Each structure stands twice: as structure tokens, then as C-alpha cells.
Amino acid sequence: MSYVDKINSVHLDILKEIGNIGAGHAATSLSTILDRKMNMIVPRVRILSINEMIELAGGPETVVASVFLRIEGEVQGNMFFILPLKQAAHFIEQMTGTEVFSFDNLPYPELALSALSELGNILSGSYLSSLSDFTKLSLFPSVPALCIDMVGATISSGLIELSQVSDFVIVIETAIGEAVESSTFINGHFFFLLDPDAYEVVFNSLGVPLHG
Amino acid sequence: MVELSNIIKVGIADMNTVQSPALIRTSGLGSCVGVIVYDQSKEIAGMAHVMLPDSSLSKTGQINHAKYADTAIKELVDRIVRDGASIRNLKAKIAGGSQMFQFSSGTDLMRIGPRNVEAVKKELLALRIPIVAEDVGGNSGRTIEFDPKTSLLSIRTVNKGTKVL
């Protein structure tokens, strides 16, 4: 029996809350860095095949900037912060004071890439530290790895650990975006995926063990 | 690639077969390896999008054959032989196996790209299928498309354009 089958609707709600808390803190951090009002999109938790997850992130061939971290500590998992190129360029402009930045010219300047990695680092860091407070588990993010390439290539490479255990993944998806008048302009998506063994640890720590 | 023809798609950890005039394609290969096994005279080909080197890594009961190099290639050969390819005429082309993320403390799993390539080559050697062309390694994602009529493999990367092998 796969770990996915043991997860019931209460567990899904808890995962949603994890996404809520994590992305809420990340949005606050982003708001502080950029000095803008940011919104968070209410999270979705879904059980998907890897192919479906790639579709969700924009389709296998779409080129995006993604910051990937491995999570170590009492539980292990993966986190992706995925930005459309246009948005990534926009962040680089704001953080480095460059007037116009474009991904069309190679090689990319070192400063731009490190600003983007740092942004990913700060946002994922605030996501994870709030999660750590909520679950009372200690979590350590790896140094972020930045990759500007096709969605299919980046996500499948990040999911090697998970793919050995299951053809399905539990994706906690949240988005953060700039608040523009009454609507929200999406800036980036977080995909948070715990390793299969980690679910039991998280749910036990929160007092809602898995059965089955 | 511009003319309108039927293109068969292969997802991640997936495989399929094709006969001309259709084409076969898989998108967004990262550390995964795309393996094409074909019989040029019959214009039949099969493609697998392999994610992991060895089915013994699997921790699930049921195995998706297309996911692992060792099981995928055997099954691919079986399928195209069933479709009419002759086993003596089979040749292979491979692409993929990049390292998408550079970590300073590289665990073994982060080297998965090169390991996938090694595993695919070993399996093809065991089945005595010669590799006539390859584009492996590096750190870019690839989208590949194979035409069984011409036996040409076109490979597109984000920054280096398209090349044909």
C-alpha cells in the first residue's frame, strides 16, 4: 500500500494549513524586501503524477527560473520556488538596481543570478522556519540551487528521491503575488513536497497519525 | 519539424512506439535519458523516457517498467519487435542525463544524470544494440524528436538551439 493511500481528508487539510502558514510568512518577507504589498493565494494540496505536476508548473517545455532546495533535518523533502522568466527579470531589476534585465543574453551576470538565488533562499527560509515552528520539527534547508531551464527538466531532476518510492506526489502549492488594486498579480509558485517517509513524522508530531 | 505530421508524445517515465510517417517526441529531459531504439529498414522506432538507472532502487511493489533503464529498454525492444522490427537491425540513439542543479555537497542521487547514462549504455550493450549517436551530460534540459523515416534525432535545448543527430 502506497503512502498516498493512507492520507485522508483531515491530513490534506493539515497540509493545506502548512502551505498557508509557510507561504504567508514568505509573502511577508517578500513584501519587506521589495517594500510592496504582497498577497498570498490560498494553497491547494493535490495528489498528482509527476507528469501532472509538471503540467501544473507550466508544461514540460516552458522555460522558468526555479530555485530548488532539499530539506534535511527531522524530515526530508523538496521545495521549488518557480518564477516565470518575466517575473524573475523584474525581481532582479528591483534587487540589483539594474534598469532593464533580460534573460535573452548569455551568459547571465553573476550578480543577477546570485540576487535571484538569495531571493529564493530568503523566501524558502521563511516558509520553512514557520513550518518548523508549527510542527516543532527541526528542518534545515540546503543551499539553494538555481536553474533557468525547462520545467520538465528541472522538476524531474528534483524528484529523484520521491520517484523511487511512488509514481505519485503530494504537492502543496501556493502562490504569492503583488496586490494590484483589487486583484493579485502572481509572482511565483511554491511547490512543497515531503519525502514519503516524512508524512508520518509530520502527522505524528501534530498528533494526527496516519492509519492503514 | 514544421510540417504537420502526427507526433506521438512520451511523458516522463513513459514509453511508446512509432511507425513512419509519424514522429515521436519527449519534452523536458533533465537528468532523465531519452532512449530511441529503431529499425531503419522497417521505419519503426520506440522511445523511452528513463528516470532512474536500476529497478532495484524501487521501493514500491509494482514497477513502472518505463521508469528504469534496465526494465525500460528490454520492454521497448519487445514492443518494437512485436510491431515488426527485426532484432538484428536494431540501433539506438540516446540523449539526456544532465546535471540540472549544482550542489557543492553532491550526494550520489544528485549524480543521477551520469548514472542514468551509464545504465542505459550497459543495457544496450547487453542486448547488443549499437549506439550510433548520443548527446548526453551537460547541464541543460533537452526536448527530443525522432523521425523513424530518416532515423534522425533532433535535439532542442533552451540556450543552444536545435541540433540533429
Side-chain angles (χ1 to χ4, degrees):
Chain A
M1 190 164 157
S2 160
Y3 75 105
V4 168
D5 302 326
K6 296 183 194 167
I7 303 243
N8 62 30
S9 64
V10 176
H11 296 126
L12 288 179
D13 280 342
I14 292 171
L15 296 177
K16 212 181 234 184
E17 186 56 22
I18 286 174
N20 217 344
I21 295 172
H25 281 77
T28 310
S29 303
L30 186 60
S31 174
T32 314
I33 299 170
L34 301 177
D35 197 18
R36 298 253 163 97
K37 197 172 165 202
M38 303 302 288
N39 281 346
M40 182 200 85
I41 315 294
V42 177
R44 286 191 291 184
V45 177
R46 295 205 261 175
I47 298 171
L48 301 170
S49 71
I50 294 173
N51 284 306
E52 286 167 334
M53 183 192 161
I54 288 169
E55 286 302 327
L56 181 70
E61 278 196 89
T62 310
V63 180
V64 292
S66 49
V67 177
F68 170 69
L69 302 129
R70 269 297 288 169
I71 298 152
E72 306 288 342
E74 284 177 79
V75 292
Q76 286 86 40
N78 302 293
M79 171 162 267
F80 295 92
F81 178 54
I82 293 184
L83 289 165
L85 283 192
K86 202 173 151 208
Q87 208 51 48
H90 184 58
F91 281 142
I92 289 172
E93 287 163 8
Q94 287 180 306
M95 290 180 72
T96 61
T98 315
E99 277 188 18
V100 182
F101 179 82
S102 153
F103 283 100
D104 295 340
N105 310 317
L106 278 167
Y108 306 131
E110 204 56 40
L111 180 67
L113 296 183
S114 92
L116 205 53
S117 295
E118 189 49 28
L119 183 74
N121 200 12
I122 294 169
L123 298 188
S124 334
S126 51
Y127 190 121
L128 290 175
S129 64
S130 63
L131 174 60
S132 173
D133 290 345
F134 176 58
T135 57
K136 309 275 189 300
L137 294 167
S138 55
L139 306 172
F140 310 103
S142 71
V143 175
L146 176 69
C147 176
I148 294 155
D149 213 305
M150 301 175 191
V151 168
T154 46
I155 289 191
S156 62
S157 307
L159 295 185
I160 292 301
E161 300 263 358
L162 270 169
S163 68
Q164 293 174 54
V165 185
S166 173
D167 292 324
F168 289 89
V169 291
I170 300 176
V171 186
I172 307 176
E173 185 206 6
T174 37
I176 51 177
E178 230 162 287
V180 188
E181 288 165 9
S182 60
S183 62
T184 301
F185 180 69
I186 304 271
N187 292 119
H189 286 264
F190 284 102
F191 293 102
F192 182 55
L193 303 100
L194 287 164
D195 284 3
D197 303 341
Y199 287 97
E200 198 159 353
V201 181
V202 168
F203 291 131
N204 281 342
S205 178
L206 293 170
V208 211
L210 290 172
H211 296 287
Chain B
M1 272 172 103
V2 196
E3 71 183 271
L4 282 172
S5 51
N6 194 9
I7 299 177
I8 291 167
K9 289 199 175 143
V10 178
I12 288 178
D14 184 18
M15 64 166 81
N16 220 326
T17 60
V18 65
Q19 303 200 5
S20 70
L23 307 175
I24 192 161
R25 165 190 181 99
T26 194
S27 303
L29 285 166
S31 59
C32 303
V33 176
V35 186
I36 298 102
V37 177
Y38 63 97
D39 178 340
Q40 182 153 20
S41 59
K42 303 267 171 57
E43 299 180 3
I44 292 174
M47 182 188 278
H49 185 133
V50 169
M51 200 170 182
L52 293 167
D54 191 338
S55 58
S56 67
L57 287 172
S58 169
K59 293 166 191 161
T60 48
Q62 252 185 341
I63 288 181
N64 167 9
H65 287 267
K67 201 194 270 184
Y68 305 96
D70 58 335
T71 48
I73 296 173
K74 281 193 192 87
E75 171 139 0
L76 200 59
V77 169
D78 282 351
R79 284 206 204 172
I80 63 169
V81 167
R82 219 180 300 144
D83 287 350
S86 155
I87 198 151
R88 292 186 317 273
N89 290 342
L90 295 183
K91 289 183 178 142
K93 295 192 178 186
I94 64 174
S98 316
Q99 173 113 13
M100 300 305 294
F101 298 104
Q102 325 291 327
F103 284 103
S104 47
S105 60
T107 62
D108 209 22
L109 279 167
M110 283 301 154
R111 271 195 70 251
I112 199 78
R115 283 174 56 207
N116 278 336
V117 173
E118 281 163 34
V120 162
K121 287 187 173 173
K122 191 176 141 210
E123 194 59 37
L124 287 168
L125 185 69
L127 296 168
R128 299 196 186 160
I129 300 172
I131 299 172
V132 293
E134 64 174 65
D135 178 37
V136 296
N139 40 37
S140 301
R142 296 171 172 91
T143 285
I144 62 172
E145 190 173 282
F146 185 80
D147 184 348
K149 190 163 188 67
T150 58
S151 302
L152 290 176
L153 178 67
S154 71
I155 301 161
R156 192 176 78 81
T157 52
V158 172
N159 294 323
K160 297 186 199 92
T162 303
K163 67 173 165 184
V164 177
L165 292 178

